Amino acid sequence: MQLDNRKKEVLHAIVDDYVSTNEPVGSKSLIERHNFQVSSATLRNDMAELEHLGLIEKPHTSAGRIPSDKGYREYVNSLMTIEELSPREQLEIEKRIDSSVDEVTDLIKNATHTLSETTGFVSLAMSPRLKKSFLKQLKILMIEPGKALVVMVLSAGVVKDKVVRIPNFLSDEQIMKISGAIEKNLTGKPLDEITLVTVETAGKGTEVPEPLLKQVLYEAYAAIKQADELNIYLDGEHRILELPDFSSLGRARDLLGTLSDSGMVAGYVNEMENAREHGTDDSFMIRIGQEITLEGLDDCSFITATYNLTDSVSGNIGVIGPKRMLYSKVISQIDFVKKKLNKEMQRFT
């Protein structure tokens, strides 16, 4: 889409004014707030053309105009300049992301909470995709007869555990033998290459009756596969209720209803990441209004960035907020939190 310089400036001004005031923008207010060296009639003609192009639209209750989804997209793609955070803002974020935590999951939750507080929107983070990480340690610990804890340490510095059912007749010594055999034979193997067959092969020769052995090996395999399940962490859902954009009870209810389905949100973020891997190298994925296929998010923008635990293991962090957001500021905030998270992640690898 080709816009001349003045129409770009008019669209930029309309987006800026609507974001700051939450009021539809008219030609008179544009002249009052901005240094346009043209008449109100000329600006009305420019606005009429922008409306014809689908970049701005007229709300039912006002003579002014507001950006459309297409207008926000043009603004984000072509007109926006990302501003750097001030040293004070950077220091505040660094203070909030607690460096003392000793679990990757706690660090991610901490960063998510910080991002919500910083932006004033709902924040989210996806757990790292661990398929490319490899097994460093695996222990099966007897809790009580018939119940054991499978503990796995992965190359990405992530510790996973799962309580499993085992045959009542197995002794501590037998469990230790099975655990040792699995660890010895599978250490260094990527998660996405571990199958039930490889686990069963690893456990052979442990001098445990085969029916009992098979049950334990299956439970160990299930625990290893579960280690790569994607988890999503949300923070600040209550902030939606404080925004004028979601003052409508029905609109807020629909959005909160969708956010409560963490599996659906996680699946959508994963789809966005796959689209990035196969189609673009952009630092951020931005979805605006109707571009978001999740129900209840028509009035939202969804922005995510990728953080890296290792070169081959990554996750996502971002925000969900109103379309009427200060995109340059929010993107800077996400970017800085992501960089801080990447830096802190190095402690675990």
Side-chain angles (χ1 to χ4, degrees):
M1 181 185 306
Q2 291 295 322
L3 297 176
D4 62 42
N5 288 335
R6 192 177 66 240
K7 289 185 181 63
K8 289 179 182 179
E9 291 173 3
V10 171
L11 178 59
H12 198 301
I14 290 172
V15 174
D16 286 347
D17 285 2
Y18 184 60
V19 166
S20 64
T21 68
N22 196 26
E23 294 290 339
V25 182
S27 58
K28 183 179 178 181
S29 65
L30 283 177
I31 288 178
E32 290 173 351
R33 291 176 186 152
H34 303 275
N35 189 31
F36 286 110
Q37 302 298 313
V38 295
S39 67
S40 182
T42 300
L43 278 182
R44 283 197 298 271
N45 288 336
D46 287 339
M47 292 172 73
E49 187 164 343
L50 291 174
E51 186 173 5
H52 176 71
L53 293 170
L55 297 172
I56 59 175
E57 57 194 16
K58 179 181 178 182
H60 296 301
T61 56
S62 172
R65 300 295 185 272
I66 65 174
S68 65
D69 290 2
K70 189 176 178 181
Y72 281 120
R73 171 54 62 191
E74 178 69 14
Y75 174 84
V76 167
N77 285 357
S78 305
L79 307 178
M80 172 183 69
T81 301
I82 297 178
E83 61 180 84
E84 264 194 58
L85 299 184
S86 69
R88 183 185 61 81
E89 290 170 318
Q90 293 181 16
L91 183 60
E92 185 64 28
I93 289 175
E94 288 183 331
K95 284 181 179 177
R96 291 184 184 214
I97 298 181
D98 188 357
S99 300
S100 67
V101 296
D102 55 7
E103 287 272 349
V104 168
T105 298
D106 290 338
L107 179 61
I108 294 169
K109 289 179 179 178
N110 194 308
T112 308
H113 180 67
T114 298
L115 189 56
S116 179
E117 287 193 324
T118 303
T119 62
F121 301 140
V122 177
S123 63
L124 74 157
M126 288 279 288
S127 60
R129 295 164 182 81
L130 299 171
K131 288 182 180 180
K132 298 302 180 184
S133 63
F134 58 82
L135 196 65
K136 290 180 71 174
Q137 289 181 293
L138 184 142
K139 305 295 182 187
I140 305 177
L141 310 172
M142 179 84 80
I143 299 174
E144 60 185 46
K147 189 182 291 185
L149 180 69
V150 181
V151 181
M152 294 153 286
V153 180
L154 308 178
S155 60
V158 177
V159 179
K160 295 278 188 173
D161 58 63
K162 183 187 180 188
V163 176
V164 299
R165 291 286 178 186
I166 59 173
N168 293 332
F169 314 107
L170 286 172
S171 66
D172 279 335
E173 184 181 355
Q174 289 173 314
I175 287 294
M176 287 177 62
K177 285 183 178 180
I178 298 171
S179 173
I182 296 173
E183 183 177 77
K184 178 183 177 182
N185 290 291
L186 295 185
T187 293
K189 202 167 188 64
L191 289 194
D192 60 355
E193 294 181 15
I194 296 177
T195 65
L196 181 56
V197 172
T198 58
V199 175
E200 288 178 341
T201 302
K204 284 182 178 178
T206 52
E207 300 178 357
V208 175
E210 187 170 350
L212 304 182
L213 176 62
K214 278 199 165 186
Q215 185 175 338
V216 177
L217 294 175
Y218 176 79
E219 293 290 349
Y221 164 74
I224 293 170
K225 289 291 105 177
Q226 185 176 297
D228 188 39
E229 285 186 358
L230 293 176
N231 296 312
I232 191 162
Y233 309 103
L234 287 161
D235 196 288
E237 294 95 323
H238 64 282
R239 299 184 196 279
I240 286 293
L241 303 177
E242 300 168 4
L243 299 172
D245 310 75
F246 301 97
S247 57
S248 162
L249 182 60
R251 186 176 293 178
R253 185 183 61 239
D254 290 345
L255 174 56
L256 292 174
T258 296
L259 295 181
S260 68
D261 189 339
S262 57
M264 180 164 55
V265 178
Y268 181 72
V269 176
N270 202 40
E271 285 179 13
M272 289 174 68
E273 183 63 20
N274 288 338
R276 182 210 304 271
E277 288 177 356
H278 296 114
T280 177
D281 292 326
D282 290 347
S283 299
F284 295 88
M285 290 290 285
I286 303 173
R287 294 288 180 266
I288 300 169
Q290 298 293 330
E291 297 171 357
I292 305 171
T293 57
L294 290 174
E295 188 175 347
L297 271 67
D298 293 358
D299 296 301
C300 297
S301 286
F302 199 143
I303 306 175
T304 64
T306 301
Y307 68 83
N308 296 301
L309 186 51
T310 68
D311 290 341
S312 59
V313 179
S314 63
N316 301 93
I317 189 164
V319 300
I320 298 171
K323 291 186 290 188
R324 189 186 60 85
M325 70 166 64
L326 192 58
Y327 288 91
S328 59
K329 185 78 166 183
V330 172
I331 288 173
S332 295
Q333 291 165 329
I334 296 172
D335 187 52
F336 192 78
V337 170
K338 177 197 76 172
K339 288 175 179 175
K340 174 66 174 173
L341 187 55
N342 285 347
K343 182 179 177 181
E344 292 297 329
M345 286 287 187
Q346 293 174 13
R347 296 188 286 117
F348 300 97
T349 57

